Amino acid sequence: MPRSRKSARRQRMEAAINYPIEWLEERSGLIGGVRYFLFRKVPSDTNWMQTLGSATLTAFIVQAVTGAILAMYYKPDPNSAYQSIQHITNDVWLGWLVRGMHRWGASVFIILMFFHMARVFLFGAYKYPRELNWIVGVLLLALGMLEGFTGYLLPWDQTAYWATVVGININGTAPFLGPFLAQFLRGGAEIGPDTLARFYSIHMLLIPGALIGLIGLHLYLVVRLGVTSPPWSKEAAGAERVEKPKRGRRGLLMPGARGGIPR
Amino acid sequence: MEPLNGDDRPHLPPPSLWPVGFAVGVACVLVGLIVDPLVVVPIGVAILLVFGFLWARDATKGYRAPVPDLEPETRRPGREAPPIPAHVGEAAMPEPEPGEIERFPRSKFLEFSTLGLGGVIGGIVTIPILGPMVANPFRHEKHGKLDLGPLSDFPSGQWMIATFMTDPAEGEVTRRTAYIRNNGESNGEPSFTIISNRCAHLGCPVQPNGPVFDNKKKVERTKGAGDVTLIPMLPAGGFGCPCHGGQYNPEGNRTAGPPVRALDRYDYSIVGGHLVLGKTYSVSKVDGTGAQAKIHRYGLANPGNHVDGPEAWLYPLQPPH
Ligand code: HEM
Ligand code: FES
C-alpha cells in the first residue's frame, strides 16, 4: 500500500480534527488556557499525597451533580419534605443511589478536605508564598462544614430536626451575638415554616456559589505559584519555574529557593 | 472564512435591518398557529419569504460583487526608508502646556463616576437583599390567641401534656408542647403552672419522668391553636431530656446535667372560662411549689444562655421574639 496515500488521508483526518479546535482557539484562546492550566511543569518528585486536592475537587463535583438531581424531586416545604425524600428513595428510578451518593459523598468530601489539609500541613506547603492559599482553604473548609450543617436538616425527620435545633442553639450560646446568630439561622424566634426553605436556599445556592468561586481562586493560586516539592526533595522548590537555576547552596534569600514566583 | 477581495481579514455580512422583519414574520407564524392558521400564518409566511430573500441578498453581497483589481506593489522589497529615531523626529503629540496635566482628566472622571454609580447601584440592591435575609427574622411575631379549652379540661392537681399549634395555617411545624398543672384556686383566682418543654440546655424536648396516660388522650379542635391534644400524666420524677440527660424537678428547676437554668414558662390568662396561653419567659429558678411558687422571671432567652449570675453578662441582649 503506497505510503503517501495513507499519510494524505491521515493528514486530512488530522486537519478535520484540528479544525474545530483551532476554530475555538482562534476565537477564545481557551485551548491554550486549558493547556496552560493542565500541562504545567511540576517538580519531578511530586507525591501521590498531592493528588488529594484533586480528589477533594472530584468529591465536590459529585456533590454538585447529585445535589442538582435531588433538587429535581425534593420539596423544601415542612409539610412535604419528608415525603419527597421517601419518594426519592423508594420510587424514583435509582433515586436511592443518587441520594446515597449525596449523603455518603458529603462525608467523603469533608474527610478528603481534612486529608488534603493534613498533606499541605505535613509538607509545609502552607509557607511563603502560599499562605494566602491556606487562608482560602480555611474558608473552603468552613463553608464545606456549613454545607453539612444546612444539608442535614433537609430530610426533615426526627434526627434532622432535633440535630438542627441543637446545632442552632449551640451557635446561640456564643457570647453577645450568639442569640442573634441563632435567630438569623432559624429565620425567626422558633424553627418554623421558613426555616427549612431558608436552609435549603443556603445549602443549594448561597454556599455552593461561594465554594465554586473560592475553588476557582484556590486553583488559580495553585497554578500561579506551582506545587511544592515534598519536604524530602533534593530539588529546589519551584526550580522548574526559574529560567537558570543558580548553582551552589540555595539560601533563603535566593529567588526560586522557596517557591516559584513566575516572572 | 475564505479571504475575499484580496485581503485576509475575515469578512462578516454587512449590518442589515432585514432580520428584524424576518423575526416579525416568525412571530407572526407562531401567533397565527394559535390564533388563525388560515389567515395569519400565510401572512407570516409571506413576510418571512420577502424579508428572508432581502436578508439573504444583503448577506451574500460580498460574495457576488466583482473582485476589485489590486493596486500593484510599487516599492521594491527591503528598501524602505529607515525609521526616524524618536528623539530626532517631531513629537507625535503636542507637548502639554504646563498646568494642563494638573487638570482633572476625563479618564479619571469616567473612572470615578463608574465606581460611584456602581457603588450607588450596589447599595440600592443590597437593601432588598438584606431585608428578607437578615432583618426579617428579627421582627416581632404576631400570634393568635392560644386557647387551650375550658378550665374543666384541667382537673385540679392534675398534670397535662398539652400540644397546640402557634400558627395553625402553617401546619404541624408550629406545634409546641407545654406541661400544665392546675394548682387550684389561690386568693380566689385559678392558678396554673405552665412549663415549656424546650430544654434550657440546647432546646431538645424534655419528657415527663413518670407515667403518661395515652388512653385518656383528648383532642379538641380550636380556631387559634389548631388541634389541641391533652394527655394526663404524672411526672413524679420531674422532667428529663433525651439529648444530653438534663434533669429537672416538677417545678422545672434544673437538678442535674448540662442545662444552665430552669425550664421556660408560659404566661396565661383565663378568658371566658378558657385557659389562654400568653408569652413565653425564661426562669433562673423557682422557690416553692404550685400556687405559692416564687418564680425568678426573665425575658425569654435562647437555650444555653444564662439569665442570672456573672455568666449572664455574656448575653446582655436577646433578639425580639
Ligand atoms: C473544597 C475544598 C478544596 C479543594 C477542591 C482543594 C483543591 C486543591 C488542589 C486541586 C490543589 C493542588 C495540589 C494538591 O492537590 O495537593 C490544592 C492545593 C492547596 N490547598 Fe487545597 N483544596 C481544598 C481545600 C483546602 C483546605 C481546607 C486547605 C487548608 C486549610 C487547603 C490548602 C491548600 C494549599 C496551601 C495548597 C497549595 C499546596 C501546594 O502548593 O503544594 N485546601 N488544593
Ligand atoms: S438539650 Fe436537653 S440536655 Fe442538652
Side-chain angles (χ1 to χ4, degrees):
Chain A
M1 189 162 145
R3 235 158 160 235
S4 57
R5 239 181 70 199
K6 186 183 169 192
S7 75
R9 196 211 273 147
R10 206 200 171 94
Q11 265 178 9
R12 259 184 286 127
M13 286 236 316
E14 267 171 15
I17 291 172
N18 280 336
Y19 182 77
I21 296 177
E22 273 161 17
W23 190 94
L24 191 65
E25 170 67 5
E26 186 179 349
R27 282 154 185 80
S28 65
L30 276 177
I31 306 295
V34 168
R35 197 172 289 151
Y36 174 77
F37 177 67
L38 288 182
F39 302 108
R40 285 168 283 132
K41 289 200 173 120
V42 295
S44 58
D45 49 2
T46 42
N47 188 269
W48 270 104
M49 295 299 138
Q50 284 166 298
T51 59
L52 282 167
S54 313
T56 316
L57 180 62
T58 310
F60 175 76
I61 293 170
V62 169
Q63 289 309 98
V65 173
T66 53
I69 294 168
L70 290 176
M72 294 173 184
Y73 296 95
Y74 180 71
K75 300 195 179 69
D77 169 64
N79 296 317
S80 41
Y82 180 75
Q83 280 82 358
S84 73
I85 292 274
Q86 297 307 307
H87 175 64
I88 290 170
T89 315
N90 300 324
D91 309 332
V92 176
W93 195 64
L94 289 186
W96 58 271
L97 180 63
V98 175
R99 182 179 173 213
M101 285 171 73
H102 199 75
R103 196 167 177 99
W104 290 97
S107 300
V108 170
F109 174 56
I110 302 279
I111 291 169
L112 282 174
M113 236 183 330
F114 273 104
F115 280 155
H116 168 59
M117 188 165 84
R119 164 333 250 172
V120 168
F121 181 75
L122 294 173
F123 278 30
Y126 53 84
K127 293 179 195 170
Y128 174 86
R130 300 188 179 78
E131 305 97 319
L132 189 59
N133 219 13
W134 177 270
I135 292 169
V136 174
V138 170
L139 290 178
L140 285 171
L141 185 66
L143 286 177
M145 295 207 278
L146 257 181
E147 274 293 85
F149 180 57
T150 49
Y152 201 71
L153 177 65
L154 303 183
W156 203 239
D157 52 16
Q158 291 290 323
T159 322
Y161 184 90
W162 292 109
T164 305
V165 166
V166 167
I168 288 178
N169 286 331
I170 290 174
N171 283 285
T173 59
F176 304 108
L177 285 184
F180 292 85
L181 178 60
Q183 191 140 334
F184 167 77
L185 286 171
R186 269 186 226 115
E190 306 247 17
I191 289 204
D194 294 337
T195 313
L196 182 59
R198 190 179 184 82
F199 269 52
Y200 186 48
S201 164
I202 295 174
H203 179 78
M204 66 149 350
L205 295 171
L206 285 186
I207 299 181
L211 274 175
I212 289 168
L214 283 173
I215 289 175
L217 180 59
H218 198 70
L219 295 183
Y220 164 76
L221 287 174
V222 168
V223 171
R224 181 182 163 85
L225 303 174
V227 290
T228 28
S229 343
W232 54 81
S233 171
K234 301 258 177 335
E235 258 178 75
E240 79 285 353
R241 297 226 158 203
V242 183
E243 304 226 328
K244 273 194 206 125
K246 299 206 168 115
R247 298 201 151 266
R249 197 177 144 267
R250 289 181 195 287
L252 277 181
L253 293 176
M254 286 170 78
R258 287 171 293 175
I261 309 166
R263 63 208 97 186
Chain B
M1 195 171 272
E2 289 286 302
L4 282 178
N5 300 352
D7 63 23
D8 56 0
R9 279 174 294 140
H11 283 247
L12 295 177
S16 142
L17 277 176
W18 302 129
V20 178
F22 190 78
V24 171
V26 172
C28 195
V29 170
L30 292 179
V31 171
L33 284 176
I34 300 166
V35 178
D36 191 344
L38 286 183
V39 180
V40 183
V41 170
I43 296 178
V45 171
I47 298 176
L48 273 181
L49 287 177
V50 171
F51 281 92
F53 172 74
L54 292 171
W55 183 12
R57 206 183 56 157
D58 229 13
T60 55
K61 210 186 255 160
Y63 291 97
R64 288 180 287 112
V67 179
D69 288 334
L70 284 186
E71 213 178 284
E73 180 68 68
T74 51
R75 285 174 298 174
R76 260 183 289 148
R79 307 217 80 213
E80 298 114 38
I84 308 166
H87 59 278
V88 176
E90 252 174 69
M93 215 169 84
E95 266 322 293
E97 310 256 322
E100 197 176 11
I101 298 174
E102 307 295 306
R103 274 195 336 220
F104 193 67
R106 203 171 104 95
S107 61
K108 267 268 173 329
F109 168 75
L110 289 176
E111 189 182 317
F112 284 146
S113 46
T114 309
L115 286 179
L117 213 62
V120 170
I121 294 173
I124 293 173
V125 174
T126 306
I127 294 169
I129 290 173
L130 291 186
M133 182 167 155
V134 181
N136 192 56
F138 297 99
R139 292 189 318 163
H140 263 286
E141 279 171 46
K142 282 177 253 122
H143 281 314
K145 281 238 179 310
L146 297 177
D147 183 340
L148 297 189
L151 291 189
S152 55
D153 282 352
F154 300 92
S156 185
Q158 174 64 56
W159 277 101
M160 288 285 189
I161 304 173
T163 79
F164 50 89
M165 296 184 197
T166 58
D167 191 349
E170 296 287 1
E172 285 294 325
V173 68
T174 68
R175 188 172 286 285
R176 296 289 176 267
T177 301
Y179 299 133
I180 303 181
R181 186 187 56 205
N182 185 347
N183 299 323
E185 304 247 320
S186 148
N187 306 329
E189 294 266 319
S191 160
F192 282 88
T193 296
I194 307 183
I195 292 179
S196 158
N197 77 334
R198 186 177 76 160
C199 182
H201 176 221
L202 291 172
C204 283
V206 296
Q207 309 292 318
N209 293 336
V212 174
F213 305 102
D214 271 317
N215 52 347
K216 301 211 181 108
K217 174 171 169 174
K218 224 164 121 182
V219 183
E220 204 157 330
R221 187 153 289 208
T222 69
K223 240 208 253 137
D227 290 354
V228 174
T229 67
L230 295 176
I231 304 171
M233 59 144 173
L234 192 61
F239 304 97
C241 182
C243 285
H244 321 99
Q247 295 296 322
Y248 304 86
N249 71 15
E251 289 300 323
N253 280 317
R254 184 197 86 106
T255 53
V260 298
R261 55 175 203 248
L263 289 170
D264 295 342
R265 292 195 177 209
Y266 283 88
D267 272 331
Y268 64 91
S269 53
I270 313 294
V271 181
H274 281 228
L275 178 62
V276 175
L277 289 192
K279 287 191 148 199
T280 331
Y281 59 91
S282 288
V283 176
S284 62
K285 64 173 181 182
V286 180
D287 298 324
T289 54
Q292 276 69 48
K294 184 171 178 299
I295 299 163
H296 298 262
R297 169 185 179 134
Y298 296 82
L300 186 64
N302 211 66
N305 295 3
H306 295 257
V307 289
D308 64 346
E311 297 102 321
W313 298 341
L314 293 176
Y315 309 103
L317 285 177
Q318 289 287 338
H321 292 283

